[in-house]
Amino acid sequence: MSLHTERGRAALAAAMAEPDPSSLAAATRLRKHFDADLAAEALGQAVLRRKARAKFGEAADELFFTPYGLEQATRPEVADWRARRLVAAGTTRVVDLGCGIGADSMACLDVGLEVVAVELDQTTAEHARANLPGATVLHGDAVELAPGLLAGAGPATCVFIDPARRTGAGRTWRVDQFTPPWDFVLDLLAGRHSTVGKLGPGVPREILPQGVCCDFVSHAGDVVEASLWRLPGSPTGHRAVLLPGEHVIASTGEVLPVGPAGAWLHEPDGAVIRARALDAIDPRMRLLDPETAYLTSDEAITSPFLTSFRIIDEMDAGEKTLRAWVRAHDIGTLEIKKRGVDLDPAELRRRLKPKGRGAATLVIGRTPGGARAWHVERV
């Protein structure tokens, strides 16, 4: 029985009132008033809503989810950024091909766009219909429905597509396993309609099409997606976009010099690394290693694209040296950050046996002369 019936809504309200909807006690109580299948469905939805609060806040308590739909759903702040960008480009109608539980379409509705959404999975489509009052939500195959939905569409219509990247075996980066297929996404991006595609941030760069703008998007320090844009007036190439604040950076084409550590060590945001835009942050910086994204400078640099550390000391990265350093400085709480070296920070911390009263951060990275370690202070 669906949760979108009067009986289903009553079961869901009862499940939401449970202090722990995943408990056996909650299941026992609900089965006194509802059949076992409906009770299980309602309790499962209550568990998903509580999990979704981390992404959607209190609004999660009014939305419907599937486990995969929640995982793939765009964060609301990112969806809002995308919707506002569509409005700025003159879009008035969005055709969402593969809407999932409807996170991006919700943001489009919030900014006044007309939305037609398509979802292949029937349960997810039902949830999306409940989540998207005011939108047209169709259950069906996006590849089959797209021609009819786009027939006669003018320049104010934009296609949004977020292909599913999961099979029965789990998450996949094999493009031949995307749903809708990757070739279909490429055809849309090369077609006559404005198109925006959403991919995971780890998408292999070699599959990204030419002639579109690829934004690697970081939200609150997490790289969350790679979005492909073909809109009127949109740039081409790869960029990093940091939210909130909408900080945007793209490579200048310059080659950064490589040199020894100065007074400061900088860790670029992951989106900047994915966009290969390290050269555009600040010309006063240099790389510690040509293949590793740690930067250094002789003077303090403030940038939204960086986390900066003041270097206190530099040493060899050998374990014997580090263990002696930990003992000499009476370190008990030790944060270890690394890049470009083959080690497990947690395992190394265990072997270094910090037992003192002090706290410290070590950064271990590669240089042309071998691995080095820096005792740093986070700014």
Side-chain angles (χ1 to χ4, degrees):
M1 180 180 290
S2 171
L3 295 176
H4 306 294
T5 63
E6 184 175 350
R7 185 71 173 159
R9 289 191 291 272
L12 182 54
M16 290 294 294
E18 287 289 336
D20 181 6
S22 64
S23 67
L24 178 60
T28 301
R29 281 190 288 270
L30 253 70
R31 286 174 183 167
K32 292 179 180 179
H33 305 284
F34 306 96
D35 66 65
D37 287 345
L38 181 57
E41 187 179 1
L43 289 166
Q45 189 61 223
V47 169
L48 285 172
R49 284 181 169 183
R50 295 191 179 194
K51 183 178 179 181
R53 288 172 185 168
K55 182 179 283 189
F56 290 90
E58 293 183 1
D61 289 355
E62 303 298 326
L63 299 174
F64 290 87
F65 301 96
T66 64
Y68 176 64
L70 173 57
E71 178 185 327
Q72 185 155 327
T74 303
R75 297 185 186 191
E77 298 87 350
V78 179
D80 176 67
W81 161 75
R82 188 177 358 261
R84 288 185 288 103
R85 188 166 167 185
L86 290 175
V87 170
T91 301
T92 60
R93 175 176 179 255
V94 172
V95 178
D96 187 346
L97 298 177
C99 67
I101 58 98
D104 280 281
S105 284
M106 279 188 272
C108 290
L109 289 172
D110 286 344
V111 296
L113 297 174
E114 176 189 352
V115 173
V116 179
V118 178
E119 173 52 45
L120 181 61
D121 178 73
Q122 183 172 356
T123 298
T124 307
E126 290 178 3
H127 289 348
R129 196 169 289 120
N131 292 339
L132 299 170
T136 299
V137 179
L138 305 175
H139 169 228
D141 189 320
V143 177
E144 296 176 358
L145 294 176
L149 295 175
L150 296 175
T157 290
C158 180
V159 179
F160 175 71
I161 185 162
D162 179 5
R165 300 174 291 279
R166 179 174 289 277
T167 67
R171 190 185 297 271
T172 180
W173 280 117
R174 288 183 53 183
V175 294
D176 60 331
Q177 295 180 338
F178 284 7
T179 306
W182 180 238
D183 285 345
F184 177 67
V185 178
L186 293 177
D187 287 345
L188 288 170
L189 287 165
R192 66 185 186 88
H193 301 287
S194 295
T195 301
V196 178
K198 174 192 167 189
L199 301 173
V203 58
R205 291 174 60 94
E206 59 269 19
I207 78 167
L208 297 174
Q210 300 294 315
V212 301
C213 177
C214 177
D215 285 340
F216 292 95
V217 181
S218 175
H219 175 258
D222 298 326
V223 188
V224 293
E225 68 174 62
S227 55
L228 305 178
W229 299 81
R230 193 174 67 80
L231 296 175
S234 65
T236 59
H238 298 171
R239 311 187 307 172
V241 178
L242 274 58
L243 303 173
E246 199 166 340
H247 304 284
V248 181
I249 195 171
S251 174
T252 64
E254 297 293 326
V255 177
L256 278 175
V258 178
W264 299 85
L265 186 147
H266 310 282
E267 186 176 48
D269 186 276
V272 180
I273 298 172
R274 292 290 296 144
R276 297 182 181 173
L278 299 179
D279 58 289
I281 301 174
D282 193 293
R284 295 171 291 176
M285 294 192 300
R286 56 188 177 272
L287 288 164
L288 287 168
D289 180 81
E291 302 298 326
T292 308
Y294 275 141
L295 298 161
T296 187
S297 64
D298 299 319
E299 53 193 294
I301 292 173
T302 301
S303 169
F305 303 107
L306 297 171
T307 298
S308 294
F309 305 85
R310 185 176 65 85
I311 295 178
I312 300 171
D313 195 11
E314 179 177 348
M315 68 200 85
D316 177 77
E319 191 170 318
K320 183 177 179 181
T321 301
L322 297 178
R323 188 179 297 113
W325 179 87
V326 166
R327 288 198 304 269
H329 289 79
D330 195 31
I331 301 301
T333 302
L334 181 62
E335 176 189 22
I336 299 176
K337 301 174 69 66
K338 65 100 176 184
R339 185 167 285 167
V341 290
D342 185 17
L343 63 86
D344 180 341
E347 177 61 23
L348 176 60
R349 184 185 305 107
R350 185 188 65 79
R351 295 199 303 268
L352 294 181
K353 301 177 181 179
K355 297 178 180 179
R357 293 172 293 179
T361 297
L362 279 180
V363 176
I364 302 175
R366 193 169 61 188
T367 73
R372 302 290 289 171
W374 296 274
H375 175 204
V376 300
E377 178 182 52
R378 187 186 300 266
V379 180

